[in-house]
């Protein structure tokens, strides 16, 4: 799993938005395409592109918006095995761009 339903929020952008991910589920890379710098988020298991993370918008306490391509996620009901899995911010783990 990448995200918990508890970390999902409505950012108004039209894409699924999350403010934190499960620990070690996401990896990041600086994306310098289209004349700007963004933080690309990818699945840590399969390297699939998930979207980008944006900071400084003050939507949530974590101050992160993981803007995730909806085709890359599937919502499944938790059967209790994720209740102890840690959710984390990811921007603190990488250097500022």
């Amino acid at each position: 799993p990448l995200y918990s339903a508890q970390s999902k929020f409505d950012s108004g952008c039209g894409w699924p938005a999350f403010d934190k991910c499960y620990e070690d589920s996401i990896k990041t890379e600086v994306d310098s395409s289209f004349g700007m710098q963004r933080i690309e988020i990818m699945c840590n298991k399969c390297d699939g592109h998930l979207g980008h993370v944006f900071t400084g918008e003050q939507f949530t306490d974590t101050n992160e918006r993981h803007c995730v391509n909806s085709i890359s996620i599937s919502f499944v009901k938790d059967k209790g095995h994720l209740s102890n899995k840690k959710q984390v911010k990811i921007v603190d783990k990488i250097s500022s761009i």
Side-chain angles (χ1 to χ4, degrees):
L2 305 172
Y3 297 99
S4 165
Q6 287 78 33
S7 67
K8 189 173 187 303
F9 69 97
D10 183 5
S11 68
C13 72
W15 297 87
F18 301 86
D19 69 342
K20 54 191 163 297
C21 60
Y22 284 120
E23 191 169 36
D24 298 322
S25 64
I26 304 293
K27 63 183 178 179
T28 61
E29 200 171 280
V30 174
D31 175 359
S32 298
S33 63
F34 302 108
M36 64 179 97
Q37 285 196 320
R38 306 178 287 178
I39 302 168
E40 180 181 7
I41 49 178
M42 297 154 292
C43 175
N44 201 31
K45 187 174 181 179
C46 73
D47 291 331
H49 173 80
L50 299 171
H52 292 87
V53 64
F54 301 94
T55 62
E57 300 172 324
Q58 304 296 322
F59 283 120
T60 69
D61 291 340
T62 65
N63 203 20
E64 290 185 3
R65 175 173 57 97
H66 299 217
C67 189
V68 181
N69 296 334
S70 59
I71 195 72
S72 66
I73 55 177
S74 174
F75 293 99
V76 295
K77 185 165 178 64
D78 178 18
K79 297 186 179 176
H81 68 284
L82 297 174
S83 58
N84 293 327
K85 193 162 171 93
K86 185 176 181 180
Q87 295 184 64
V88 296
K89 291 177 53 169
I90 59 168
V91 174
D92 291 342
K93 293 183 171 186
I94 60 175
S95 57
S96 298
I97 56 174

